[in-house]
């Protein structure tokens, strides 16, 4: 969801809406070398509408997904009614589709909307084509028939603009025309039918045209995928690629048949490669293709038993019921030229193009024809995911099965209905109906349980551990780290590296929470994952270790990395901007303000639209403040507040700037108070406000702020140390002593803390304790003149009081 919504600049109101037609699903320009080439502008527009209405509130996105799934289910049931009958069987197909657990990712996962939206337009296109067939039957002068065909093609284009596989509806429509409307079987394929040939030619031409436009629009180049996305595609061995790709349809079909083992991600080694003929999974593949070929043969040839029953009138299925009245109007036998005017009741022809009694829609399709349509609905939408036409960026993806599952649900229903017709015993039929109800309930229960896995990131990643442990443990580690559960996060990262040891991003995350232990290992893997992110993280760790010069070189290197052929160029640009920001901060802290400003300005030029710039703008204001260029400082402080009105550091720094300007004291105080209001638990806000109060000669109020700051941020040295300073300036020496002691405890080897603690003890008459602190400060910094001067004054006092100095 992060790349498609949270960091997708095409969702932002300030981004021209036309950009969605030039960018991929993730907001990257289609012609960019690192683009995923997933062109789904209608889906992106729906996300943009969600964003305009409710920002990033998740409920709005989920509500739209659920509503779309409900509409698709209704359309699917509507489509099944003339195929399976208006009785219970079309309802069974609809319920199976509504409750199938494999849909959970497409409906509960926000980015799965691409599949659900494509399914909606897929069915609209198919229904439009069925109307075209019905009207075309009335004769070649029925112009409305071709308008419905145009509507079908436009809906197919809409399906493709929701997700690429939507265009396969044109192939499914052709199968519908042949096997459902005309009800062809092998002996009938040679009959001439001009309207049919025209329709099929238009479907084929439309499909070629849409695909050509799609390829041209994405720059005539295929996308590039990493090894972890599709390991089989990256394998150098033809046998491995062949066996694995042949097995993938069988593995996907098993998910439809038995959706027990589901996962949010099937990349990496979730489905191990098939390397030899001895792999037992090859038998699964053989069984799948043997079953598929048998069903195709059965569909083309027809069922001898059922067809014989239908022919002699012993049993006929219509609207889900078994009729034994001896009448059969299942299928007219003379297909002839359906586009020509049919006979009237008395058998004569006229030019009125009236529908005769043997029109195809007067009866339900034979089982064999319905079987062929179900197989087409199952296989054709899945064809783009097989890697046979081009490599795709996944091994298995449950969301991709959303549209093919329509064919699966229809196939299961056709089988159940055939069994119902074949068995004669009432008890057996009751048992079959109970089993059907049980299957629907079982799917529904599994879907309810699977929805619980999608309630949060943590539950989702935990649910994927048994399928893809490396990816699941790694993502879970990130979630736990963000929750502050460092020990659990460390364990998760170690588990991820146990299953896949070359994940440098996981190695970095582990090192980041273990304070750099094993640092050399990260440097050896630094280019395994996104280079800019690696250099950024490396620079941050070097900074924390005190190696400032090496950190500066690392950040500089990061800023010069180009974005060609990167999977996520927007993330790369964000990392480059962050590297420049951190480099500027290091220069700022070293007093090189002019150099820092040059770096900050480069960061502003390079930052992507989705980058949060408030901290960068605030630091630019700080640099101008140090150079005493107050107007420019004020400009960037205000830019920071415009970017994020609740950015606390900008309130504090802008308040500090206003406090030194003549006539702006009251306004400055409002900014300090606003910072405290934004986060009353942040001691740093009280500390800055206290310093402002001291400058305004309000020491009593300043002392209150100082104590409050030290209580809230008792573990922050700077806050406690400054609080002690303010209390001392307010002449509250006893309280100042308390917090100087606390600050020295936080940094026991920091000379300034020890010297100031010695000074307050000196003032409070605790001369021997003061002497000990001064001496310890001089051990750490022997050349400190202030400490030396204070110590000499202390010894003079001690001599006058008859106390013996410890150094004597």
């Amino acid at each position: 969801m992060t790349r498609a919504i949270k960091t997708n600049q095409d969702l932002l109101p300030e981004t021209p809406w036309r950009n969605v037609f030039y960018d991929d699903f993730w907001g990257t320009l289609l012609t960019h070398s690192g683009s995923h080439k997933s062109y789904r502008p209608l889906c992106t527009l729906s996300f943009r509408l969600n964003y305009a209405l409710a920002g990033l509130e998740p409920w709005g996105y989920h509500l739209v997904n659920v509503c779309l799934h409900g509409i698709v289910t209704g359309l699917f049931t509507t489509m099944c009614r003339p195929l399976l009958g208006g009785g219970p069987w079309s309802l069974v197909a609809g319920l199976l589709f509504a409750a199938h657990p494999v849909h959970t990712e497409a409906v509960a996962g926000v980015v799965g909307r691409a599949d659900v939206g494509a399914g909606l337009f897929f069915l609209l296109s198919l229904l439009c084509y069925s109307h075209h067939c019905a009207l075309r039957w009335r004769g070649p002068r029925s112009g409305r028939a071709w308008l419905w065909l145009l509507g079908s093609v436009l809906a197919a284009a809409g399906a493709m603009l929701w997700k690429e596989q939507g265009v396969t509806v044109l192939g499914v429509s052709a199968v519908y025309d042949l096997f459902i409307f005309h009800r062809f079987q092998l002996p009938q394929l040679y009959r001439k039918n001009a309207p049919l040939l025209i329709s099929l030619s238009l479907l084929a031409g439309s499909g070629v045209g849409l695909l050509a436009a799609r390829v041209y629009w994405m720059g005539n180049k295929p996308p590039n995928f990493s090894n972890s996305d599709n390991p089989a595609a990256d394998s150098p061995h033809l046998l491995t690629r062949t066996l694995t790709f042949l097995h993938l349809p069988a593995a996907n079909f098993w998910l439809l048949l038995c959706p027990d083992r589901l996962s949010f991600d099937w990349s990496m080694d979730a489905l191990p490669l098939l390397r030899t003929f001895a792999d037992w999974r090859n038998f699964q593949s053989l069984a799948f293709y043997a079953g598929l070929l048998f069903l195709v043969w059965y569909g083309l040839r027809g069922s001898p038993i059922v067809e014989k029953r239908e022919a002699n009138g012993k049993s006929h299925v219509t609207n889900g019921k078994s009729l034994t009245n001896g009448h059969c109007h299942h299928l007219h036998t003379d297909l002839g030229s359906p586009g020509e005017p049919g006979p009237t009741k008395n058998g004569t022809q006229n030019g009125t193009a009236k529908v005769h009694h043997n029109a195809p829609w007067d009866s339900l399709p034979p089982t064999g024809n319905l079987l062929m349509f179900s197989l087409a609905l199952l296989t054709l939408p899945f064809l783009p995911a097989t890697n046979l036409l081009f490599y795709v960026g996944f091994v298995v993806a449950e969301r991709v099965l959303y549209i093919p599952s329509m064919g699966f649900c229809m196939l299961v229903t056709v089988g159940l209905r055939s069994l119902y017709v074949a068995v004669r015993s009432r008890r057996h039929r009751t048992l079959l109906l109970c089993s059907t109800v049980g299957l629907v309930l079982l799917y529904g229960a599994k879907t309810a349980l699977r929805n619980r896995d999608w309630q949060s990131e943590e539950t989702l990643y935990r649910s994927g551990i048994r399928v893809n442990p490396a990816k699941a443990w790694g993502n879970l580690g990130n979630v736990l780290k963000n929750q502050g559960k460092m020990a659990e996060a460390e364990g998760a990262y170690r588990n991820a590296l146990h299953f896949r040891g070359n994940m440098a991003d996981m190695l970095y995350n582990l090192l980041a929470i273990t304070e750099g232990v094993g640092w050399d290992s990260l440097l050896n893997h630094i280019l395994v994952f996104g280079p800019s992110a690696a250099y950024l993280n490396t620079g941050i760790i070097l900074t924390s270790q005190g190696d400032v010069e090496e950190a500066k070189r690392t950040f500089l290197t990061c800023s010069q990395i180009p974005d060609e052929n990167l999977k996520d160029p927007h993330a790369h640009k964000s990392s480059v901007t962050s590297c420049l920001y951190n480099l500027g901060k290091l220069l700022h802290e070293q007093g090189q303000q002019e150099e820092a400003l040059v770096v900050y300005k480069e960061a502003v030029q390079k930052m992507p639209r989705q980058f949060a710039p408030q901290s960068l703008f605030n630091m630019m204001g700080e640099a101008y403040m140090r150079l005493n260029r107050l107007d420019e400082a004020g400009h960037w402080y205000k830019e920071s507040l415009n970017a994020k009105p609740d950015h606390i550091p900008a309130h504090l720094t802008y308040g500090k700037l206003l406090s030194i300007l003549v006539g702006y004291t009251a306004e400055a105080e409002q900014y300090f108070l606003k910072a405290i209001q934004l986060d009353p638990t942040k001691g740093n806000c009280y500390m800055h406000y206290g310093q402002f109060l001291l400058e305004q000669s309000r020491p009593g109020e300043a002392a209150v702020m100082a104590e409050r700051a030290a209580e809230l941020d008792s573990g922050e040295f700077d806050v406690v140390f400054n609080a002690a300073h303010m209390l001392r300036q307010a002449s509250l020496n006893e309280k100042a002593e308390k917090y100087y002691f606390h600050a020295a405890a936080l940094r026991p080897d920091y000379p300034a803390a020890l010297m100031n603690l010695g000074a307050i003890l000196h003032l409070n008459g605790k001369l021997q304790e003061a002497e000990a602190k001064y001496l310890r400060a001089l051990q750490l910094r022997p050349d400190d003149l202030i400490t030396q001067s204070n110590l000499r004054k202390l010894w003079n006092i001690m001599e006058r009081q008859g106390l013996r100095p410890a150094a004597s």
Side-chain angles (χ1 to χ4, degrees):
M1 175 179 171
T2 299
R3 286 185 60 202
I5 298 176
K6 288 185 177 180
T7 62
N8 190 344
Q9 59 187 5
D10 287 342
L11 270 63
L12 303 178
E14 58 267 24
T15 303
W17 65 269
R18 300 178 189 85
N19 283 21
V20 303
F21 294 100
Y22 297 93
D23 296 341
D24 65 17
F25 188 53
W26 316 105
T28 304
L29 191 66
L30 270 173
T31 53
H32 190 278
S33 57
S35 171
H36 198 273
K37 308 297 184 183
S38 301
Y39 187 56
R40 303 162 190 173
L42 293 185
C43 186
T44 305
L45 282 174
S46 75
F47 288 148
R48 181 167 178 143
L49 180 60
N50 262 129
Y51 188 92
L53 293 175
L56 293 175
E57 288 294 328
W59 67 267
Y61 296 85
H62 290 293
L63 178 62
V64 172
N65 278 25
V66 172
C67 290
L68 284 174
H69 180 56
I71 296 171
V72 171
T73 301
L75 287 175
F76 176 67
T77 308
T78 300
M79 184 193 72
C80 289
R81 186 170 293 112
L83 304 178
L84 298 169
W89 299 113
S90 57
L91 178 62
V92 167
L95 290 174
L96 284 173
F97 180 79
H100 203 295
V102 84
H103 295 161
T104 310
E105 180 182 4
V107 181
V110 175
V111 295
R113 184 181 301 178
D115 297 89
V116 183
L120 172 62
F121 278 83
F122 187 101
L123 289 172
L124 288 175
S125 177
L126 197 53
L127 289 170
C128 285
Y129 193 80
S130 69
H131 282 287
H132 160 72
C133 293
L135 290 171
R136 189 187 62 198
W137 178 267
R138 297 180 179 178
R141 287 177 292 178
S142 180
R144 286 170 52 198
W146 306 105
L147 289 178
W148 280 105
L149 177 60
L150 177 61
S152 176
V153 173
L154 292 177
M160 186 182 72
L161 294 178
W162 274 91
K163 192 169 183 180
E164 297 78 6
Q165 69 182 132
V167 74
T168 59
V169 68
L170 297 175
V172 176
S173 295
V175 174
Y176 173 88
D177 205 342
L178 286 169
F179 290 94
I180 298 299
F181 188 76
H182 282 88
R183 307 186 184 182
F184 282 170
Q185 292 180 347
L186 281 176
Q188 301 165 331
L189 289 178
Y190 302 102
R191 294 183 180 273
K192 295 180 180 180
N193 190 324
L196 169 66
L197 294 177
I198 293 174
S199 296
L200 295 185
S201 298
L202 289 174
L203 285 178
S206 300
V208 171
L210 289 174
L211 289 174
R214 170 76 171 77
V215 173
Y216 171 78
W217 205 249
M218 71 180 191
N220 297 309
K221 293 180 181 179
N224 296 314
F225 300 110
S226 67
N227 170 271
S228 62
D229 291 331
N230 191 344
D234 197 60
S235 174
H237 305 293
L238 177 61
L239 179 63
T240 298
R241 294 198 303 273
T242 302
L243 293 179
T244 303
F245 288 151
L246 286 175
H247 178 68
L248 291 182
N252 279 274
F253 182 77
W254 183 252
L255 287 179
L256 289 172
L257 186 63
C258 183
D260 175 59
R261 192 167 176 261
L262 301 175
S263 174
F264 72 97
D265 192 291
W266 289 82
S267 61
M268 299 183 179
D269 301 318
L271 199 153
L273 302 178
L274 283 76
R275 304 181 186 278
T276 67
F277 288 109
D279 194 314
W280 69 271
R281 289 175 294 169
N282 288 311
F283 294 103
Q284 285 184 322
S285 303
L286 286 173
F288 169 74
Y289 290 109
L292 185 63
L293 289 174
F294 171 76
L295 290 176
V296 171
W297 171 82
Y298 180 96
L300 289 174
R301 183 176 179 274
S303 169
I305 299 176
V306 175
E307 296 299 333
K308 183 177 179 181
R309 287 185 179 180
E310 291 176 347
N312 61 24
K314 289 181 179 179
S315 179
H316 173 64
V317 177
T318 180
N319 292 333
K321 299 177 181 180
S322 178
L323 302 182
T324 56
N325 56 11
H327 298 285
C328 178
H329 57 278
H330 192 81
L331 176 64
H332 60 285
T333 56
D334 182 15
L335 289 173
S337 297
E340 299 175 0
T344 60
K345 280 187 177 182
N346 57 12
T348 62
Q349 287 191 353
N350 54 39
T352 59
K354 292 181 180 179
V355 180
H356 58 69
H357 283 278
N358 288 333
W361 56 84
D362 281 348
S363 60
L364 298 180
T367 301
N369 296 69
L370 194 53
L371 184 62
M372 289 301 298
F373 178 71
S374 300
L375 290 174
L377 189 54
L378 171 66
T379 58
L380 292 182
F382 183 72
L383 192 61
T386 60
N387 291 276
L388 296 178
L389 305 177
F390 45 81
Y391 291 147
V392 296
F394 54 85
V395 179
V396 173
E398 294 162 21
R399 59 189 178 275
V400 173
L401 297 175
Y402 187 80
I403 296 177
S405 68
M406 298 176 188
F408 172 80
C409 294
M410 186 175 290
L411 190 65
V412 171
T413 306
V414 170
L416 291 170
R417 193 188 70 171
S418 297
L419 284 175
Y420 186 84
V421 172
V423 299
R424 310 303 294 270
S425 168
R426 181 181 298 273
R427 183 179 64 180
H428 289 161
R429 287 187 171 183
T430 302
L431 180 61
L432 181 64
L433 291 176
C434 290
S435 300
T436 302
V437 173
L439 178 63
V440 172
L441 293 176
L442 185 64
Y443 275 5
K446 175 62 178 177
T447 298
L449 291 174
R450 182 63 177 152
N451 277 324
R452 293 171 60 185
D453 294 336
W454 281 84
Q455 286 183 348
S456 68
E457 286 184 312
E458 182 175 349
T459 57
L460 180 63
Y461 298 145
R462 289 190 185 279
S463 71
I465 289 174
R466 65 171 182 159
V467 174
N468 192 346
K471 189 71 170 283
W473 278 118
N475 288 340
L476 181 60
N478 293 335
V479 172
L480 294 171
K481 183 181 71 171
N482 293 335
Q483 294 176 353
K485 302 175 181 178
M486 296 304 175
E488 295 180 52
E490 179 182 348
Y493 289 139
R494 293 190 185 279
N495 286 335
L497 291 168
H498 169 75
F499 287 101
R500 192 177 178 91
N502 64 346
M503 295 192 297
D505 49 348
M506 292 301 105
L507 180 58
Y508 163 74
N509 290 335
L510 177 61
L511 295 174
I513 63 176
T514 56
E515 300 181 352
V517 178
W519 177 243
D520 292 338
S521 299
L522 176 60
L523 295 179
N524 292 334
H525 292 86
I526 196 165
L527 295 179
V528 173
F529 69 112
S532 55
Y535 281 108
L536 170 62
N537 296 330
T538 301
I540 291 172
I541 287 186
L542 288 169
T543 302
S544 67
Q545 293 180 340
D547 194 347
V548 176
E549 293 306 315
E550 186 62 31
K552 287 165 63 176
R553 283 190 290 270
T554 302
F555 289 136
L556 184 61
T557 302
C558 171
S559 68
Q560 298 169 347
I561 298 174
D563 64 351
E564 283 82 6
N565 298 315
L566 293 181
K567 183 177 180 180
D568 189 353
H570 291 304
H572 165 78
K573 291 178 181 178
S574 293
S575 296
V576 167
T577 306
S578 295
C579 281
L580 290 168
Y581 167 76
N582 281 281
L583 175 59
K585 278 187 68 176
L586 291 177
L587 293 169
H588 171 81
E589 291 167 1
Q590 291 179 334
Q592 303 176 53
Q593 307 305 328
E594 295 287 358
E595 293 84 348
L597 282 171
V598 171
V599 174
Y600 288 145
K601 289 176 182 178
E602 183 181 355
V604 170
Q605 292 176 348
K606 290 185 175 181
M607 71 177 181
R609 190 174 284 107
Q610 76 273 12
F611 186 84
Q614 61 272 7
S615 296
L616 173 59
F617 293 162
N618 189 54
M619 286 305 301
M620 291 184 73
E622 289 268 12
Y624 280 117
M625 187 86 165
R626 293 278 183 93
L627 294 171
N628 202 32
R629 295 161 63 176
L630 303 185
D631 289 341
E632 290 154 295
H635 167 75
W636 288 107
Y637 288 147
K638 286 187 282 188
E639 285 294 313
S640 177
L641 289 170
N642 289 335
K644 192 173 189 294
D646 60 349
H647 188 53
I648 293 175
H651 280 85
L652 297 175
T653 51
Y654 192 41
K656 185 176 180 180
L657 170 64
L658 293 173
S659 69
I660 63 177
L661 298 177
V662 178
Y664 288 92
T665 302
E667 188 176 349
E669 185 168 4
Q670 292 304 311
Y671 276 94
F672 290 120
L673 292 173
K674 179 63 175 178
I676 293 174
Q677 180 185 346
L678 288 170
D679 191 352
T681 66
K682 196 173 183 66
N684 190 49
C685 299
Y686 295 93
M687 182 191 74
H688 280 85
Y689 184 41
Q691 290 174 337
F692 166 79
L693 292 171
L694 272 179
E695 293 167 1
Q696 301 303 315
S697 302
R698 295 156 66 181
E701 296 174 74
V704 174
M705 294 298 110
E707 287 194 86
R708 181 64 175 152
E711 289 171 1
L712 289 172
D713 287 348
S714 59
E716 295 291 331
F717 172 80
D718 289 335
V719 174
V720 175
F721 191 59
N722 283 310
H725 271 317
M726 285 189 281
L727 290 166
R728 178 180 171 183
Q729 289 175 285
S731 300
L732 298 173
N733 291 346
E734 293 296 330
K735 290 184 177 180
E737 179 184 326
K738 170 186 174 182
Y739 288 109
Y740 276 128
F741 260 115
H742 190 178
L746 290 173
R747 290 191 185 178
D749 294 326
Y750 187 51
L754 293 166
M755 187 274 289
N756 279 277
L757 176 57
I760 197 66
L761 290 169
H762 187 164
L763 288 173
N764 290 342
K766 301 176 181 179
L767 305 183
Q768 291 178 324
E769 293 180 59
E771 181 189 23
K773 302 304 177 184
Y774 284 147
L775 291 173
R776 175 58 182 157
L778 285 173
Q779 285 180 348
L780 297 170
R781 189 182 295 170
D783 57 347
D784 186 73
L785 297 179
I786 296 177
T787 307
Q788 292 174 359
S789 175
N790 286 348
L791 183 59
R792 283 193 296 269
K793 293 176 182 177
L794 177 68
W795 282 340
N796 289 333
I797 296 173
M798 292 178 70
E799 287 179 3
R800 286 196 298 269
Q801 294 183 5
L803 297 175
R804 183 178 179 181
S808 62

